[in-house]
Amino acid sequence: MSVLSDIIAGVRIDLDARRSILDQSGIEADAAAAAPALDAYAALGGHLDPTQRDTTLRVISEVKRKSPSKGALAQIAEPAVLAASYEAGGASVISVLTEQRRFGGSLADLDAVRSAVKIPVLRKDFTVDAYQIYEARAHGADLVLLIVAALDDATMREFLELTHALGMNALVETHTPEEIARAINLGARIIGVNVRNLKTLEVDRENFGRLIELIPTDVVIVAESGVQDVSDVQYYAQLGADAILVGEALVKDADPRAAVEHFITAGTAAKPARAS
């Protein structure tokens, strides 16, 4: 069994436990009662003409306690305080890990972050059931993660349509040329290139350079994983990333606000003009 398959098996068990407490009609009612979602697509520059979108490298800053590859990263006793620091540093979106078994996250973390910031929030989890999308909206998320490697095309289309019907956006995560083609064919507007192979946890930063040329200019492109310092930020920016998603480097930094500011400044300076 791959790492991804193992994680998803646990996700399904935990999902069934939550669903036994609040059924489908209940979670749909909670989602309908939530305040309208913020526009994460616009926050990431998607509302701009593609030839102008590269004026700023945007940062999706992540609340992340641990990971399957690195183990414990940070205690994060107050995720709201960390998220507020990210927002003060100029982050465009806050990502919150809600998977518990491998990442130490929870929906309580999502609630805390949503109450603390005014910018869009991404619920980062392994979405395998429509229930989780309603759940994300009910807890104030504006953006959900859809991993192409974990979903077939019919399910991906259903999830994208539901996400948009709820007023949210989806970060569609890819790792291979085939997955990028699938994401594009299904109409994804925000595509992430994860340089970490979720089936083996191996990281190949060069994979971003190989794949970015396959993504149309009207799509927001997010570089995921592999950011340890400013040199990594500059690398992704030089290749044309519209945004980077960073967790480990920020949660381990003594001054996350300053780290976000530094990444934005360095990445923006490194970005070339983007061809139309």
Side-chain angles (χ1 to χ4, degrees):
M1 179 180 287
S2 72
V3 175
L4 178 61
S5 297
D6 185 51
I7 291 174
I8 288 175
V11 165
R12 290 189 182 279
I13 293 170
D14 294 339
L15 170 59
D16 287 343
R18 296 195 304 277
R19 187 154 36 198
S20 70
I21 298 170
L22 182 63
D23 65 13
Q24 186 71 29
S25 61
I27 199 64
E28 289 183 20
D30 284 357
L38 302 177
D39 191 345
Y41 180 68
L44 293 171
H47 63 301
L48 300 174
D49 182 276
T51 60
Q52 300 174 353
R53 195 179 300 155
D54 58 353
T55 54
T56 301
L57 179 76
R58 290 163 173 82
V59 174
I60 302 173
S61 301
E62 194 157 82
V63 176
K64 183 178 185 180
R65 290 191 174 85
K66 63 181 183 179
S67 75
S69 60
K70 297 291 184 67
L73 301 174
Q75 291 294 324
I76 314 182
E78 298 182 272
V81 173
L82 177 60
S85 296
Y86 287 158
E87 182 179 29
S92 295
V93 172
I94 307 297
S95 171
V96 183
L97 260 304
T98 59
E99 196 281 333
Q100 180 177 0
R101 295 173 182 242
R102 296 295 191 100
F103 293 89
S106 68
L107 287 166
D109 287 346
L110 182 60
D111 291 337
V113 170
R114 175 70 285 165
S115 68
V117 302
K118 298 186 183 334
I119 57 177
V121 174
L122 162 67
R123 184 206 181 166
K124 194 175 181 195
D125 209 315
F126 296 79
T127 306
V128 293
D129 192 289
Y131 185 99
Q132 294 166 283
I133 300 176
Y134 285 106
E135 192 175 50
R137 185 77 284 275
H139 287 266
D142 312 288
L143 187 66
V144 294
L145 180 70
L146 301 179
I147 301 173
V148 176
L151 303 167
D152 60 36
D153 283 355
T155 304
M156 179 77 73
R157 188 181 302 279
E158 174 194 343
F159 287 0
L160 276 172
E161 290 175 354
L162 175 59
T163 298
H164 294 153
L166 292 173
M168 295 189 291
N169 283 283
L171 170 58
V172 179
E173 181 174 297
T174 64
H175 182 71
T176 67
E178 185 268 341
E179 290 175 6
I180 286 176
R182 290 176 59 202
I184 293 168
N185 289 338
L186 291 168
R189 300 197 300 165
I190 307 170
I191 294 180
V193 175
N194 194 346
V195 301
R196 185 185 304 281
N197 185 333
L198 291 180
K199 296 179 180 179
T200 65
L201 300 184
E202 295 177 351
V203 173
D204 177 8
R205 194 183 71 165
E206 308 302 316
N207 198 38
F208 185 78
R210 291 190 289 267
L211 298 182
I212 188 172
E213 297 300 326
L214 304 176
I215 304 176
T217 58
D218 60 345
V219 171
V220 171
I221 303 171
V222 181
E224 302 180 50
S225 300
V227 176
Q228 297 296 323
D229 53 37
V230 148
S231 66
D232 296 314
V233 175
Q234 292 171 324
Y235 174 81
Y236 290 132
Q238 287 167 354
L239 288 172
D242 295 305
I244 56 171
L245 192 155
V246 192
E248 179 183 347
L250 295 179
V251 299
K252 294 171 72 173
D253 197 290
D255 190 344
R257 172 179 176 169
V260 172
E261 291 176 342
H262 191 31
F263 283 176
I264 293 170
T265 299
T268 299
K271 282 178 70 67
R274 186 174 180 184
S276 62

